[in-house]
Amino acid sequence: MWTNLRIFAMSHQTIPSVYINNICCYKIRASLKRLKPHVPLGRNCSSLPGLIGNDIKSLHSIINPPIAKIRNIGIMAHIDAGKTTTTERILYYSGYTRSLGDVDDGDTVTDFMAQERERGITIQSAAVTFDWKGYRVNLIDTPGHVDFTLEVERCLRVLDGAVAVFDASAGVEAQTLTVWRQADKHNIPRICFLNKMDKTGASFKYAVESIREKLKAKPLLLQLPIGEAKTFKGVVDVVTKEKLLWNCNSNDGKDFERKPLLEMNDPELLKETTEARNALIEQVADLDDEFADLVLEEFSENFDLLPAEKLQTAIHRVTLAQTAVPVLCGSALKNKGIQPLLDAVTMYLPSPEECNYEFLQWYKDDLCALAFKVLHDKQRGPLVFMRIYSGTIKPQLAIHNINGNCTERISRLLLPFADQHVEIPSLTAGNIALTVGLKHTATGDTIVSSKSSALAAARRAKREGEKKHRQNNEAERLLLAGVEIPEPVFFCTIEPPSLSKQPDLEHALKCLQREDPSLKVRLDPDSGQTVLCGMGELHIEIIHDRIKREYGLETYLGPLQVAYRETILNSVRATDTLDRTLGDKRHLVTVEVEARPIETSSVMPVIEYAESINEGLLKVSQEAIENGIHSACLQGPLLGSPIQDVAITLHSLTIHPGTSTTMISACVSRCVQKALKKADKQVLEPLMNLEVTVARDYLSPVLADLAQRRGNIQEIQTRQDNKVVIGFVPLAEIMGYSTVLRTLTSGSATFALELSTYQAMNPQDQNTLLNRRSGLT
């Protein structure tokens, strides 16, 4: 029977959502015979998760394991550190796949998009569910490229732990810092995996030191490498004082032996390991009082007598407290060190019940989930990824979306396996689910069982807030923290091949926006063209490619342009009156506003009201006034770019009885625009953090090129045999930089970019930009 079930899983058929665990064996066999298997498009799964070897359990226990046995983890790192290869090996050793995938061959499970396989990079995060030694692991492989930072952000939001992967020859790189800061923001416990220990230039000591210095983290060395670069052949487990050696003749790395270190065989290695273990015990004792008491009472004379289990429990507590990070090493490409990494994930990273979520007390056992990702499937429609925090999700369940204030019905429930899924009858708290049938739910939406459940939770939250003297908005307390969406820095026009295809393009862009909230689409009011706004050149390129492949539309992109901002340099006042008669109704509004610059960086205008404004009048028209101010600040007087770092003060307001709110908004908006035009204006341009890793021989031409690009070099670091140039450069000057850098360095250099801030352009550059925009140059 179970053999049939494995064959069934390999053919990727979905399991009907009935209570399978109650069906007799002959019924399962009969249903399997009736289903015609189809040829899978991707690689085969070796079995349903949990059905490895002869481990026979009821399917219900596999789908809903005990919450203490669940691990929701993500793999995060700088681009090219080996995240996807590490994920691939994890899936292979856990029994999820039957063959080892390779990024270069384009046959990995989690990089399933055509664009990912062609470019050898991760663009979309992918969720995979598998079992390891009785634990259920929901793993998410995230992108490393800065253009897809939001993908990392929204996945970290729902994870309980993370594995940070490092290139052992490079240590901490630019994007590593970014993802580490994101994990800090969401308070996610981490373990570090120093990958590529077999690579030329790999240095365990250097990588550990860079974690200590650049990430300001305390590394706990749980492993030591046996050899480095070409001589790397295994690792030493510092906690148990054992060496793990992988069989040289084994192609897949499944065969390795674990031997205790002995004085007669490895005297030097044993001495080094003993010193490392003693240092580890002292480190953990400094960070954990309970462990310190244990060591002082029983093992102060001889650390060798301390049981490994006691040390592992203490490391688990320290990892959860985020006072230190366990460090392991290996080589994913050479199939070494992955099994101990999986053991560390289950041993040191938290289960959902060990994570403290304050909002759970308000929902009791009612459903509470967060939608953190949306995908569009041609057959099934929108697929919504959800992290379940409490309660149970079932197919045909009606759910209430608090953000959208709407009720929807889940038609089917799936377990996520990258681009292949298995249908299931229910899923409980702590899991990550994939739902079908939700038409309006978007990224960051909070899902509950019903409106009454939400109101009951709001009342509990209010009572709790009153006890603790908190003055939070009711809705704010109720909603789970969504995802901060960064502002786009690039934009370009997009046009369909013909006017008849415009509705198809709008549908495609609507679907892509729901999938990717960092993609913004707007209509240019002057030209009527559709404008795409994205996070970078690669981001726009991928969107264009996806429209062509997935929606069959040959679109045309205009030239890529930089998203500038504008501000004002002095304080100005303006008055405006709007007097219109529509039908038999007179609409009369008189407004006086003041616009002034502010020191703090603020994308939205700061709105203030003078004391002379009538409170009753303000109460009725405040929303209309603020709408007018916001719409006026969307387009500045110089380039039509958004205005930032300004405060708008309303000094006087006179409204004729019966005047509509639309007229109030229009008058306020016109008055603010008049004030902005009168002020001294300044263009702000996006400034990027740039990190270039280059060989010593090519340093001079790279520096000379950056000087021409108005680059500001902060420091030049040494990383092994390379130089790392760190500085700032305006985004406008860095377009097409990858091609130039490859030419200058014979393809040997790499660079990483990240938005730093918006800075004022100097007058000469600003005049050149304005003349170019107006067609004078």
Side-chain angles (χ1 to χ4, degrees):
M1 167 199 161
W2 293 107
T3 309
N4 286 339
L5 199 48
R6 280 200 202 94
I7 294 165
F8 171 61
M10 287 191 286
S11 65
H12 308 299
Q13 293 291 337
T14 54
I15 301 169
S17 55
V18 291
Y19 296 103
I20 293 174
N21 54 312
N22 295 330
I23 296 177
C24 297
C25 295
Y26 73 87
K27 283 190 178 179
I28 291 181
R29 283 202 190 95
S31 64
L32 288 172
K33 282 175 186 173
R34 284 198 302 273
L35 287 166
K36 292 179 182 177
H38 65 272
V39 179
L41 297 173
R43 287 165 49 214
N44 286 345
C45 298
S46 63
S47 63
L48 271 176
L51 303 181
I52 297 165
N54 297 315
D55 188 11
I56 298 173
K57 312 170 191 173
S58 76
L59 193 56
H60 189 269
S61 72
I62 297 160
I63 289 166
N64 286 311
I67 195 165
K69 294 282 187 181
I70 297 173
R71 297 289 181 272
N72 293 312
I73 65 159
I75 303 249
M76 59 181 208
H78 182 86
I79 192 166
D80 277 345
K83 295 178 300 301
T84 302
T85 306
T86 303
T87 305
E88 235 1 83
R89 300 309 182 259
I90 285 172
L91 297 181
Y92 181 68
Y93 298 130
S94 64
Y96 171 70
T97 55
R98 293 184 303 163
S99 60
L100 287 166
D102 195 296
V103 173
D104 295 332
D105 294 340
D107 62 351
T108 56
V109 171
T110 52
D111 282 357
F112 52 83
M113 286 172 64
Q115 294 89 342
E116 293 177 315
R117 291 185 165 179
E118 283 171 9
R119 290 172 168 82
I121 60 168
T122 302
I123 293 166
Q124 281 194 346
S125 48
V128 186
T129 299
F130 62 88
D131 280 8
W132 178 257
K133 295 184 180 178
Y135 286 84
R136 161 59 48 80
V137 183
N138 297 311
L139 181 144
I140 295 180
D141 176 26
T142 61
H145 200 284
V146 69
D147 285 17
F148 310 108
T149 299
L150 181 70
E151 274 292 316
V152 184
E153 179 83 17
R154 63 178 168 185
C155 292
L156 288 178
R157 171 67 190 82
V158 296
L159 297 177
D160 301 323
V163 177
V165 179
F166 299 80
D167 180 336
S169 66
V172 175
E173 298 175 85
Q175 193 65 10
T176 317
L177 279 164
T178 305
V179 294
W180 196 268
R181 284 197 298 265
Q182 287 174 310
D184 279 339
K185 186 165 76 176
H186 296 294
N187 293 316
I188 293 172
R190 279 142 274 179
I191 57 179
C192 298
F193 179 63
L194 303 183
N195 191 24
K196 303 192 179 184
M197 282 304 302
D198 61 308
K199 187 178 172 183
T200 305
S203 169
F204 182 79
K205 190 178 176 183
Y206 169 79
V208 169
E209 203 53 44
S210 72
I211 291 171
R212 188 179 283 113
E213 286 180 13
K214 294 183 181 178
L215 301 179
K216 303 291 184 262
K218 291 178 181 172
L220 300 175
L221 304 187
L222 306 191
Q223 289 179 349
L224 297 174
I226 301 174
E228 286 180 351
K230 288 180 181 177
T231 61
F232 177 69
K233 56 184 178 182
V235 298
V236 173
D237 188 328
V238 173
V239 177
T240 59
K241 297 215 300 196
E242 294 174 315
K243 65 176 178 180
L244 285 71
L245 294 174
W246 274 261
N247 187 342
C248 302
N249 301 320
S250 170
N251 292 325
D252 63 0
K254 273 192 175 177
D255 299 331
F256 70 97
E257 53 183 351
R258 185 184 280 268
K259 291 180 179 176
L261 284 169
L262 301 171
E263 181 72 46
M264 62 182 88
N265 298 336
D266 306 286
E268 285 297 317
L269 198 55
L270 178 61
K271 185 186 174 190
E272 189 185 346
T273 306
T274 305
E275 287 172 2
R277 189 176 193 265
N278 292 346
L280 176 66
I281 291 168
E282 287 172 9
Q283 232 184 322
V284 175
D286 284 343
L287 300 167
D288 187 82
D289 292 342
E290 188 182 329
F291 183 69
D293 293 342
L294 175 76
V295 171
L296 289 170
E297 284 171 19
E298 299 179 40
F299 306 104
S300 56
E301 297 301 318
N302 189 354
F303 285 169
D304 287 344
L305 299 175
L306 179 74
E309 294 76 26
K310 300 280 187 188
L311 181 52
Q312 286 163 346
T313 306
I315 293 168
H316 176 73
R317 287 196 300 268
V318 166
T319 308
L320 261 59
Q322 294 172 56
T323 48
V325 285
V327 175
L328 298 96
C329 62
S331 169
L333 190 64
K334 299 295 184 200
N335 313 317
K336 291 172 185 162
I338 302 300
Q339 296 95 328
L341 174 65
L342 274 168
D343 291 337
V345 163
T346 57
M347 206 180 295
Y348 303 123
L349 290 179
S351 67
E353 65 183 357
E354 289 177 300
C355 299
N356 181 27
Y357 298 113
E358 190 187 41
F359 56 82
L360 287 184
Q361 60 188 324
W362 310 327
Y363 287 97
K364 304 293 183 187
D365 293 325
D366 279 348
L367 174 66
C368 175
L370 180 75
F372 67 94
K373 185 173 168 65
V374 179
L375 282 176
H376 278 83
D377 185 277
K378 285 181 181 176
Q379 278 76 39
R380 300 185 184 106
L383 304 176
V384 181
F385 283 86
M386 280 192 197
R387 164 68 196 268
I388 310 167
Y389 287 99
S390 66
T392 304
I393 284 185
K394 293 179 181 177
Q396 305 308 318
L397 178 75
I399 54 99
H400 179 68
N401 183 331
I402 297 180
N403 302 65
N405 194 22
C406 62
T407 300
E408 298 191 81
R409 189 173 294 279
I410 295 169
S411 61
R412 291 161 73 196
L413 191 63
L414 309 168
L415 266 185
F417 295 112
D419 60 339
Q420 299 152 7
H421 313 109
V422 172
E423 192 165 331
I424 49 171
S426 69
L427 211 56
T428 52
N431 282 291
I432 287 175
L434 191 53
T435 59
V436 182
L438 302 180
K439 298 283 185 286
H440 306 291
T441 302
T443 297
D445 286 357
T446 303
I447 303 299
V448 294
S449 54
S450 63
K451 199 165 189 176
S452 58
S453 162
L455 292 170
R459 284 194 293 273
R460 291 185 201 112
K462 191 175 181 183
R463 284 198 296 271
E464 188 66 29
E466 283 167 359
K467 279 183 200 171
K468 296 182 179 178
H469 307 291
R470 289 180 185 164
Q471 295 297 316
N472 288 352
N473 179 299
E474 235 175 82
E476 274 177 24
R477 280 198 304 269
L478 202 57
L479 294 174
L480 307 187
V483 181
E484 284 180 30
I485 298 166
E487 287 296 313
V489 291
F490 273 115
F491 69 93
C492 68
T493 56
I494 183 167
E495 292 179 7
S498 64
L499 205 58
S500 62
K501 296 285 185 183
Q502 184 67 31
D504 295 338
L505 176 61
E506 285 171 9
H507 169 71
L509 290 173
K510 189 179 177 184
C511 291
L512 289 169
Q513 269 187 290
R514 194 172 162 202
E515 277 187 37
D516 180 3
S518 64
L519 172 70
K520 303 282 174 66
V521 180
R522 60 180 173 85
L523 203 65
D524 189 294
D526 299 324
S527 65
Q529 288 177 299
T530 305
V531 179
L532 275 187
C533 308
M535 299 306 299
E537 290 179 82
L538 182 63
H539 188 201
I540 298 273
E541 190 185 319
I542 296 292
I543 294 296
H544 183 226
D545 197 24
R546 287 189 67 189
I547 290 170
K548 180 182 174 181
R549 292 190 197 218
E550 294 171 30
Y551 298 93
L553 286 172
E554 285 283 356
T555 52
Y556 304 106
L557 290 184
L560 214 55
Q561 298 188 48
V562 174
Y564 292 99
R565 300 270 175 84
E566 297 178 33
T567 191
I568 57 173
L569 302 174
N570 60 331
S571 181
V572 286
R573 283 197 185 205
T575 310
D576 199 14
T577 302
L578 190 148
D579 190 354
R580 293 265 173 87
T581 304
L582 298 173
D584 58 347
K585 230 179 196 182
R586 187 185 183 197
H587 301 269
L588 175 64
V589 191
T590 303
V591 178
E592 184 186 357
V593 299
E594 179 190 8
R596 59 183 175 81
I598 54 173
E599 292 291 322
T600 53
S601 181
S602 172
V603 178
M604 303 297 284
V606 176
I607 301 171
E608 298 166 349
Y609 299 95
E611 290 179 7
S612 57
I613 301 290
N614 182 296
E615 277 190 28
L617 189 65
L618 184 61
K619 199 172 183 181
V620 175
S621 57
Q622 186 170 357
E623 190 180 344
I625 292 164
E626 292 185 0
N627 285 343
I629 292 171
H630 285 301
S631 66
C633 291
L634 287 175
Q635 284 194 302
L638 284 174
L639 295 168
S641 301
I643 295 280
Q644 72 171 43
D645 306 342
V646 294
I648 307 292
T649 308
L650 185 71
H651 282 286
S652 72
L653 176 68
T654 311
I655 302 172
H656 187 273
T659 301
S660 73
T661 54
T662 311
M663 293 297 178
I664 298 168
S665 280
C667 184
V668 170
S669 180
R670 201 166 71 178
C671 189
V672 171
Q673 284 178 334
K674 194 186 282 186
L676 294 172
K677 280 178 184 172
K678 282 167 69 177
D680 294 333
K681 298 166 281 290
Q682 172 73 59
V683 175
L684 305 173
E685 64 177 344
L687 190 69
M688 309 299 284
N689 280 328
L690 174 71
E691 186 176 294
V692 184
T693 306
V694 60
R696 294 169 191 268
D697 300 347
Y698 296 110
L699 181 62
S700 296
V702 167
L703 292 175
D705 179 64
L706 286 174
Q708 289 180 339
R709 295 173 184 272
R710 296 191 282 138
N712 179 9
I713 308 302
Q714 298 295 301
E715 62 174 316
I716 300 172
Q717 298 176 351
T718 301
R719 181 185 292 165
Q720 309 291 72
D721 297 330
N722 293 326
K723 291 289 184 183
V724 181
V725 180
I726 297 170
F728 299 103
V729 65
L731 179 61
E733 302 290 345
I734 212 77
M735 288 166 75
Y737 183 60
S738 56
T739 310
V740 176
L741 187 64
R742 276 199 299 270
T743 308
L744 286 173
T745 62
S746 302
S748 63
T750 59
F751 76 100
L753 278 176
E754 185 185 11
L755 180 66
S756 170
T757 182
Y758 275 81
Q759 72 164 10
M761 289 184 82
N762 67 52
Q764 188 181 348
D765 292 328
Q766 182 170 314
N767 286 336
T768 306
L769 174 66
L770 294 174
N771 289 336
R772 191 167 66 243
R773 284 289 179 93
S774 58
L776 296 174
T777 55

